[in-house]
Amino acid sequence: MAHSTRDKILIAAATMLGEDPTARLSVRAVAARAGVSTGSLRHFFPTQRELVDTVVAGIHDIDLPEDPMRDSAGTPAERLVACLRLMVSQVGTGDRARAHWRAQHDAYIAAPPSEDAVHAYLALERLGVHRLVTWLTVLREEGALAPGDLERHARFLLTVLSGLLTERALPGDRARLEFEAGTLATAAAAVLRPAAPA
């Protein structure tokens, strides 16, 4: 199936973000990746912000092929932990985790980020919150979620994930992954209703 020019641009930009969430979606870089001219890209997306917003909005609507929240065999806690693990696994461990952390540092911490970089970061943060809110909504509908604001729960979980991703970039041993599993279970328990006694 042939893709339209607009679709080629969006696919290229989404792929770049998938490979590196800190990727600068510059007009030149995305146009080159999509195999289109910068003029064509500007026709569909006059600004970098419009491109970022459209890509992130499109990712919002993508269903994960193996969404752990759909595993009806698991308890709410097991499913939520599996969802959190999925988010952490996208960064990996060792050199891959260090490369991710370094890219985050270089893009947003080492020097004051540009307005476009801030906009891109906030759009990606909203994407993470949206994904977690989607999962938490399922748990709320099942009566498994503790009372409270969905976004507040989601941001708490993202804060825990940020800490674990930083740890993955630092020197450590295999015992750290066992600690990570316990941390994810504790974080999930903090936003879920206590399980009814059997």
Side-chain angles (χ1 to χ4, degrees):
M1 176 177 86
H3 292 289
S4 69
T5 300
R6 185 177 187 277
D7 287 346
K8 285 181 187 175
I9 293 166
L10 291 174
I11 291 167
T15 302
M16 289 170 71
L17 281 179
E19 293 169 355
D20 176 9
T22 64
R24 285 199 64 235
L25 296 182
S26 70
V27 171
R28 274 200 194 107
V30 175
R33 183 71 174 255
V36 303
S37 70
T38 56
S40 291
L41 190 146
R42 288 269 189 223
H43 170 74
F44 294 103
F45 306 102
T47 67
Q48 183 183 23
R49 288 184 178 206
E50 286 182 57
L51 176 61
V52 168
D53 289 343
T54 305
V55 170
V56 170
I59 294 172
H60 271 205
D61 299 331
I62 293 173
D63 283 330
L64 297 174
E66 295 181 22
D67 188 340
M69 194 51 71
R70 293 183 184 156
D71 179 9
S72 58
T75 66
E78 289 168 342
R79 288 155 48 215
L80 182 54
V81 167
C83 291
L84 297 174
R85 278 182 198 252
L86 181 65
M87 293 181 82
V88 172
S89 71
Q90 294 170 347
V91 170
T93 58
D95 289 341
R96 192 167 153 217
R98 279 188 288 282
H100 174 81
W101 197 94
R102 192 178 307 112
Q104 293 273 350
H105 178 270
D106 292 349
Y108 306 117
I109 299 169
S114 68
E115 283 187 36
D116 283 340
V118 169
H119 184 81
Y121 177 82
L122 293 176
L124 290 170
E125 182 182 59
R126 285 192 304 275
L127 178 62
V129 169
H130 171 79
R131 178 61 67 191
L132 280 164
V133 164
T134 299
W135 286 326
L136 294 174
T137 298
V138 172
L139 295 172
R140 173 171 279 175
E141 289 167 356
E142 294 174 3
L145 196 67
D149 180 70
L150 285 175
E151 184 170 333
R152 187 178 296 268
H153 286 323
R155 288 187 178 279
F156 161 72
L157 293 172
L158 278 179
T159 300
V160 172
L161 294 180
S162 291
L164 292 176
L165 295 179
T166 300
E167 274 201 343
R168 281 184 167 212
L170 297 170
D173 58 22
R174 292 185 95 39
R176 177 175 286 161
L177 293 180
E178 290 175 31
F179 175 78
E180 182 178 285
T183 300
L184 291 175
T186 301
V191 301
L192 293 172
R193 288 185 187 277

